[in-house]
Amino acid sequence: MATQLSQDELKKQAAWKAVDYVKSGMVVGLGTGSTAAFAVDRIGQLLKEGKLTNIIGVPTSVRTYEQAKSLGIPLATLDEQPKLDVAIDGADEVDPNLDVVKGRGGALLREKMVEMASAKFVCIVDDSKLVKGLGGSKLAMPVEIVQFCHLYTLRRLAELPEVAGCEAKLRMEGGKPYVTDNSNYIVDLYFQDPIKDGHAASKAILALEGVVDHGLFLDMVDVCIIAGTTGVEVQERKKK
């Protein structure tokens, strides 16, 4: 009888497969979160063993920076390395078009900046993250907002027709508003039904002055590696 792989084992399988896309001499975007952490560990291990050389990592959060630094991965920022060869990161939801929701870990702005700067974005998930439509997990779709008049921005987000039916909640941590690495707040949007039109929602959310960015990563993922009980599946974005 086959043993049931734990979610951590599945994440690790997907992460290790993603690191196959990393070759010596590359500048690599290092994602944030439990799945991406396995990939960062793997890159550190391959560097140590000499199987990868001359790698520069661009971390997407303070947490990832500290992890990569402790593993001896040479690091840079987008200021120094504006063009990346590949970025590896997890996602909170993946739809059939390989559009994703990210940012439940709070690093969505830096993740989006690094992943937009990458020639290839490799997304790694276990199959629990698959949804028919974004917002479909009924879990948070984060929006990073400035602290100034945050309740005003939260109310305006909740009233957008493009996200009709969502519930908007300020993310809290220990009784205080959660603060991102960029000193901003996060409003989490919760949907009963998947978002009807992700692009329209994206545009409407970004049009609000107090919004910094949101967790809809549309038309960005080039390769999605999905670890499931039957093995690891690699899906590539269909070129339009």
Side-chain angles (χ1 to χ4, degrees), residues 141-143 145 154 157 168-171 185-189:
M141 198 292 278
V143 181
I145 66 166
L154 182 147
L157 277 168
K169 287 183 183 170
L170 185 66
R171 187 179 296 186
Y185 286 167
I186 286 184
V187 171
D188 286 318
L189 304 183

Side-chain angles (χ1 to χ4, degrees), residues 99-192:
D99 286 334
V100 303
V101 165
K102 289 179 53 49
R104 288 188 194 141
L108 59 131
L109 177 62
R110 294 189 187 190
E111 287 171 345
K112 195 172 275 188
M113 288 173 74
V114 168
E115 282 138 27
M116 287 298 281
S118 303
K120 180 171 282 206
F121 175 20
V122 181
C123 183
I124 44 179
V125 293
D126 62 88
D127 57 8
S128 71
K129 304 294 194 296
L130 302 179
V131 293
K132 289 193 174 69
L134 297 183
S137 68
K138 295 190 168 48
L139 297 169
M141 198 292 278
V143 181
E144 188 158 338
I145 66 166
V146 296
Q147 293 194 23
F148 175 72
C149 296
H150 62 277
L151 294 176
Y152 167 76
T153 305
L154 182 147
R155 284 196 291 268
R156 290 182 74 204
L157 277 168
E159 287 161 6
L160 289 175
E162 291 81 359
V163 294
C166 81
E167 189 184 353
K169 287 183 183 170
L170 185 66
R171 187 179 296 186
M172 304 295 286
E173 186 175 50
K176 295 200 293 285
Y178 172 88
V179 178
T180 69
D181 284 347
N182 321 299
S183 306
N184 296 316
Y185 286 167
I186 286 184
V187 171
D188 286 318
L189 304 183
Y190 295 87
F191 296 87
Q192 279 311 308

Side-chain angles (χ1 to χ4, degrees), residues 1-5 229-230:
M1 192 178 130
T3 52
Q4 189 71 31
L5 287 175
T229 38
T230 52

Side-chain angles (χ1 to χ4, degrees), residues 14-233:
W16 281 43
K17 180 82 179 157
V19 175
D20 290 349
Y21 286 86
V22 177
K23 306 286 178 243
S24 292
M26 280 189 169
V27 182
V28 186
L30 305 174
T32 297
S34 56
T35 312
F38 284 116
V40 178
D41 276 344
R42 178 69 173 156
I43 291 168
Q45 182 189 346
L46 293 173
L47 274 171
K48 207 168 161 184
E49 292 169 3
K51 290 175 183 163
L52 279 179
T53 53
N54 196 17
I55 292 288
I56 297 173
V58 179
T60 52
S61 64
V62 172
R63 194 165 71 221
T64 301
Y65 168 84
E66 284 164 356
Q67 180 197 3
K69 201 173 167 194
S70 74
L71 295 165
I73 300 172
L75 297 175
T77 65
L78 287 175
D79 288 339
E80 297 138 2
Q81 294 288 345
K83 285 193 164 52
L84 283 67
D85 298 293
V86 64
I88 299 174
D89 207 354
D92 300 310
E93 292 184 359
V94 180
D95 79 1
N97 301 323
L98 303 188
D99 286 334
V100 303
V101 165
K102 289 179 53 49
R104 288 188 194 141
L108 59 131
L109 177 62
R110 294 189 187 190
E111 287 171 345
K112 195 172 275 188
M113 288 173 74
V114 168
E115 282 138 27
M116 287 298 281
S118 303
K120 180 171 282 206
F121 175 20
V122 181
C123 183
I124 44 179
V125 293
D126 62 88
D127 57 8
S128 71
K129 304 294 194 296
L130 302 179
V131 293
K132 289 193 174 69
L134 297 183
S137 68
K138 295 190 168 48
L139 297 169
M141 198 292 278
V143 181
E144 188 158 338
I145 66 166
V146 296
Q147 293 194 23
F148 175 72
C149 296
H150 62 277
L151 294 176
Y152 167 76
T153 305
L154 182 147
R155 284 196 291 268
R156 290 182 74 204
L157 277 168
E159 287 161 6
L160 289 175
E162 291 81 359
V163 294
C166 81
E167 189 184 353
K169 287 183 183 170
L170 185 66
R171 187 179 296 186
M172 304 295 286
E173 186 175 50
K176 295 200 293 285
Y178 172 88
V179 178
T180 69
D181 284 347
N182 321 299
S183 306
N184 296 316
Y185 286 167
I186 286 184
V187 171
D188 286 318
L189 304 183
Y190 295 87
F191 296 87
Q192 279 311 308
D193 301 303
I195 300 166
K196 285 184 185 62
D197 181 339
H199 286 88
S202 165
K203 218 167 140 184
I205 292 168
L206 289 175
L208 297 180
E209 307 78 49
V211 166
V212 181
D213 214 325
H214 57 64
L216 293 169
F217 284 47
L218 309 174
D219 306 320
M220 282 179 62
V221 173
D222 298 297
V223 180
C224 192
I225 298 175
I226 304 155
T229 38
T230 52
V232 174
E233 186 193 345

